[in-house]
Amino acid sequence: MGGMDVGGGIAGKLWNKFRSESVFVNYTPFFVCLAAGNLSADSFHHYVSQHVHLLNAFAHAYELAEECADDDEDKKAIRNLRKYVQAKLKSHDSLVREWGFELPEERSLTNATVKYTDFLSATASGRIEGERVPGKLATPFEKTKVAAYTLGAIAPCMRLFAFINKEIQALLDPNDSTHIYKKWIDHYCSENFEAYAFRIEELLDTLSISLTGEELDVIEKLYHQSMRLEVDFFSSEPILQEAVVPLSRTLDPAVGGELSIFCDFDLTCTAFDSSAILAEIAIITRPKADPDGSETQLARMSSADLRSTWDALSAQYTEEFEQCVESITTTERAETFSYEGLCEALEQFAHFEKAANSRVVQSGVLKGLNQEDIKRAGQRLIFQDGCKGFIQKIMKNENLTAAIHVLSYCWCGDLIRSALSSGDVKALNVHSNELSCEDSTTTGEIIKKLESPMEKLQAFNNILNNRDEDGQHLTVYIGGSVGDLLCLLEADIGIVMGSSPTLRRLGEQFGISFVPLFSGLVAKQREVVEVGSSYWKRLSGTLYTVSSWDEIHAFILGSSS
C-alpha cells in the first residue's frame, strides 16, 4: 500500500500505526467492484443512502465539538469543518446526479451504520467508554478534551476514504470514459477533499497539545475504534452481484467447495530463518550435549568453535547462492513465459541446496539438540504481522472447508508444529525435513524430504492427488523464495509474500509477471462481469504480490473483525 504524508503530529502517528487496517476496507466487495467499474447501481444507491446518515452524524459531532472548544480560533476551525459537511449535504443530490446516478429511495439504517453514528454521537457528547468525563462539562479543559476526542473519532474516516480512493485512482486509465464511477473516485481524490482531511488532522494536533499521556491514549483508542467501525461499515454493504472477494465466499459448500492453502515457512510466515535459530540453540545448549563425556571431536567443540563453524557455513551458502543466481540471470532473458527454461535453471538450485545440507550434516552443528529446547524455541518464534492469526482463523473456521499445508525446507518439522500449535484448532499439515533423534536428542543427521523446488512441487501435487475428485477445488500457494517458484506457478492463485529481489529477478528472467494482488483482483472483477464466471483459472506465468499477511487475510476471509 502506498504511503501518504499526513504530518508528524498525533494524527500522522495514529494514521501510520493503523494504516495497515485500510486493506480490510480496500478488499471489500464494495470497493473491488467499484474500482472495477461494475458495482451494481442498487449497491451504490444503498451506499449513498447510508453515507448521508454518516454525513449528518459528522455534522452533529462537529456542532458539539464547536461548543466544547475554548479557543476562538479552534471554534472557527471546527465551524468551517461543519460548514464543509453541511455544504456537501446540500449539494449531495446534485452531486450524485452529476456523477450520473439517480438518487436512492430512503432506506433504513444498517446495523453497521447505527453503530458508527452512535459512536460519533456518544464521543462528541463526552460518553466515552472507560473515560471519566463529568456529566456536565464545567471547565474549559474538560470541554477542550472532549473536542479533541471528537476530532480523534472523525479523523481516520476522512483520511481512510481519501487514501483508498487514491489507491483506486492509480489503477484507472485517465482517458477511460467508460468507468461509471470515475467522477466519484476523482471527487474524493481532489485537492479540495485532501485539504479537508488535512484540516481535521491539523486541528486534532492543535487540540491535543495540552493533553496528558493517558488522554492521548484515549484518542488512540477512539481513532482505532473509528477505523474498525469503518471497516465494518463497508464490509456490511450488500453487493447484489458476483464478487471475487472474499475468496472463501466464492466456494459453494453445496457442491463440495474446498480451499487448499499452501505456504512456505521461513521468511514467509516467520521474521527470521529457522536454520539460524536451530544453530543458535545448538550453540547455546552445547554444554548440555554428550553427557557421557565421550572424547569425540564434536563433543569437545566449544560454543565459540560452533559459532565459527556455523558462520563459515552461512557465508559459503550465501556466496554460492549468489553465484548460482548470477550464472542463471546472465543468460538471455526469455521474451515469453518459459516454464521449461525455469525448470532447467532450478535444477542448479536443487544441487546447491542438497550440497549445502550435506555440509551442515558433516559439520555436526546440529548434533545434541534437545527436542524440548526445539519446541520451546518454536513457541517463541517471531512471525510476520498477521500471519499466525490468519492461519488460526482458517483452522478454526467451521463454515469453511479448508486445509492448510506448510511446505518448507526447514530442517525440523517439530519446530514448525510447535510454532503454529494451538489447542483448539484443526490439525496442521507440515511437510518438511526432520532432525534424526535418539532418546530425544538429535544425532546431527537430517531426514531429507524437501530440498529442492522440484521436491516441493512433488509434495504439492501428491497432496492434491489425494483429494476427493468431486466438488469445486481451489488452491492458493503463498511463498517468498526461489524454492517456491514452481508451486506458486502450479497453484490456481500464487501469492508472493514480501519483495525478494532474487525471486523477482529470477522470475522475470523466464517471463513471469508479478502483479499487485489488489490490481489483479480489480482486473478479475472486470472479467467476472465480461465473461460471467468468478472461477479462478490459473494464469500461466502470472503471480500476485502482497506486502503483508493482512492483504491475504482480507482477500481470503474478508473483514478483520
Side-chain angles (χ1 to χ4, degrees):
M1 307 289 283
M4 181 178 284
D5 182 14
V6 295
I10 186 173
K13 290 175 183 175
L14 293 177
W15 169 248
N16 288 329
K17 183 170 184 177
F18 299 116
R19 182 176 61 190
S20 62
E21 297 200 21
S22 67
V23 71
F24 292 102
V25 178
N26 230 19
Y27 280 72
T28 56
F30 177 85
F31 271 109
V32 171
C33 292
L34 183 132
N38 54 36
L39 179 70
S40 70
D42 281 346
S43 296
F44 186 75
H45 289 167
H46 183 276
Y47 158 74
V48 169
S49 70
Q50 302 303 304
H51 184 61
V52 168
H53 290 291
L54 278 186
L55 288 176
N56 279 310
F58 286 130
H60 180 60
Y62 282 136
E63 183 179 3
L64 295 177
E66 182 184 342
E67 293 175 2
C68 288
D70 181 52
D71 183 84
D72 287 341
E73 286 298 315
D74 294 342
K75 282 181 177 291
K76 181 180 178 181
I78 296 173
R79 189 180 309 123
N80 287 336
L81 293 174
R82 177 165 57 88
K83 287 180 178 179
Y84 178 90
V85 174
Q86 289 173 328
K88 279 187 71 66
L89 280 166
K90 287 180 181 178
S91 65
H92 193 270
D93 292 2
S94 60
L95 195 57
V96 170
R97 288 195 175 92
E98 182 185 326
W99 290 334
F101 305 102
E102 291 299 322
L103 289 171
E105 298 176 2
E106 182 67 25
R107 305 193 189 199
S108 59
L109 293 178
T110 65
N111 288 336
T113 303
V114 170
K115 286 181 180 179
Y116 207 166
T117 55
D118 284 354
F119 163 74
L120 291 169
S121 177
T123 302
S125 301
R127 301 191 307 275
I128 298 161
E129 185 178 350
E131 173 72 356
R132 293 182 179 178
V133 177
K136 184 177 181 181
L137 301 175
T139 69
F141 178 75
E142 288 170 351
K143 292 181 177 181
T144 300
K145 182 169 66 172
V146 172
Y149 289 166
T150 303
L151 270 291
I154 293 173
C157 175
M158 304 309 163
R159 175 54 56 197
L160 185 59
F161 212 57
F163 178 75
I164 289 173
N165 279 283
K166 282 184 180 292
E167 290 284 309
I168 294 173
Q169 189 186 52
L171 303 180
L172 305 184
D173 180 352
N175 299 317
D176 182 7
S177 59
T178 63
H179 195 296
I180 62 174
Y181 296 104
K182 189 174 183 302
K183 282 187 178 180
W184 186 84
I185 294 165
D186 288 343
H187 174 81
Y188 287 103
C189 293
S190 66
E191 291 183 6
N192 188 29
F193 188 77
E194 173 69 21
Y196 168 61
F198 184 76
R199 285 196 297 272
I200 297 170
E201 293 161 340
E202 194 174 43
L203 186 55
L204 173 59
D205 291 341
T206 300
L207 294 171
S208 303
I209 288 174
S210 61
L211 299 188
T212 66
E214 288 184 1
E215 289 157 352
L216 292 175
D217 287 344
V218 173
I219 290 182
E220 179 174 323
K221 290 176 183 176
L222 291 169
Y223 192 102
H224 192 201
Q225 188 175 353
S226 181
M227 287 275 282
R228 299 300 295 271
L229 286 168
E230 190 160 13
V231 171
D232 291 344
F233 176 79
F234 283 107
S235 297
S236 65
E237 279 299 301
I239 302 299
L240 309 174
Q241 64 194 91
E242 273 195 292
V244 297
V245 288
L247 182 67
S248 58
R249 292 186 198 166
T250 67
L251 293 168
D252 187 354
V255 295
E258 182 179 349
L259 176 64
S260 296
I261 300 175
F262 298 81
C263 67
D264 185 29
F265 186 68
D266 290 324
L267 302 179
T268 295
C269 293
T270 65
F272 301 98
D273 189 275
S274 64
S275 60
I277 293 167
L278 289 167
E280 193 64 25
I281 297 171
I283 292 165
I284 293 172
T285 61
R286 175 56 76 185
K288 295 189 292 185
D290 292 332
D292 59 356
S294 60
E295 293 297 317
T296 65
Q297 181 180 354
L298 291 176
R300 292 195 303 270
M301 190 182 292
S302 66
S303 292
D305 288 339
L306 267 175
R307 190 172 296 281
S308 177
T309 299
W310 174 250
D311 288 345
L313 289 168
S314 297
Q316 185 175 358
Y317 181 93
T318 300
E319 181 182 355
E320 293 185 1
F321 180 83
E322 291 173 352
Q323 289 173 352
C324 196
V325 173
E326 194 63 31
S327 68
I328 292 170
T329 53
T330 52
T331 59
E332 186 176 350
R333 179 177 288 197
E335 293 184 5
T336 58
F337 176 51
S338 174
Y339 186 79
E340 294 76 13
L342 176 65
C343 288
E344 288 178 14
L346 291 178
E347 287 286 354
Q348 296 185 46
F349 282 97
H351 297 312
F352 155 73
E353 290 285 357
K354 290 179 179 181
N357 282 346
S358 294
R359 286 196 298 270
V360 169
V361 171
Q362 292 166 9
S363 73
V365 295
L366 297 178
K367 182 181 179 182
L369 281 71
N370 185 281
Q371 284 185 314
E372 289 304 314
D373 288 335
I374 292 172
K375 290 177 181 178
R376 278 193 291 271
Q379 291 164 1
R380 297 189 181 100
L381 277 184
I382 298 174
F383 280 77
Q384 302 276 6
D385 287 346
C387 171
K388 195 168 182 178
F390 165 74
I391 289 175
Q392 293 188 349
K393 276 195 174 184
I394 287 282
M395 295 166 70
K396 290 178 182 178
N397 194 321
E398 305 246 343
N399 300 318
L400 178 63
T401 304
I404 292 186
H405 298 267
V406 178
L407 272 61
S408 174
Y409 285 174
C410 176
W411 295 324
C412 184
D414 281 342
L415 183 77
I416 299 174
R417 281 183 282 270
S418 62
L420 293 170
S421 64
S422 180
D424 55 350
V425 297
K426 307 171 194 172
L428 181 69
N429 305 291
V430 174
H431 313 266
S432 73
N433 305 300
E434 301 286 354
L435 290 178
S436 175
C437 291
E438 291 180 1
D439 298 327
S440 299
T441 302
T442 60
T443 65
E445 293 288 330
I446 299 174
I447 302 172
K448 299 168 184 175
K449 299 178 182 178
L450 296 181
E451 296 184 280
S452 70
M454 285 64 72
E455 288 176 353
K456 268 198 171 186
L457 179 60
Q458 185 62 55
F460 176 90
N461 285 327
N462 288 342
I463 294 165
L464 297 186
N465 290 337
N466 289 327
R467 292 187 309 187
D468 184 355
E469 293 185 3
D470 295 329
Q472 178 188 4
H473 300 293
L474 195 60
T475 59
V476 178
Y477 190 96
I478 306 159
S481 67
V482 171
D484 297 313
L485 268 172
L486 295 182
C487 291
L488 284 164
L489 292 166
E490 187 66 21
D492 294 314
I493 305 169
I495 299 177
V496 177
M497 169 63 67
S499 56
S500 167
T502 303
L503 177 76
R504 186 177 286 268
R505 182 181 173 190
L506 189 66
E508 291 174 347
Q509 178 73 20
F510 295 97
I512 295 174
S513 300
F514 294 89
V515 179
L517 179 59
F518 181 66
S519 61
L521 290 176
V522 172
K524 179 67 179 175
Q525 184 61 43
R526 293 193 186 111
E527 179 188 319
V528 166
V529 172
E530 293 168 6
V531 179
S533 172
S534 61
Y535 182 72
W536 284 84
K537 293 182 179 179
R538 185 170 65 251
L539 295 177
S540 181
T542 300
L543 299 178
Y544 298 100
T545 61
V546 296
S547 59
S548 72
W549 276 91
D550 283 341
E551 284 189 76
I552 296 172
H553 186 154
F555 167 45
I556 295 177
L557 292 178
S559 170
S560 61
S561 300

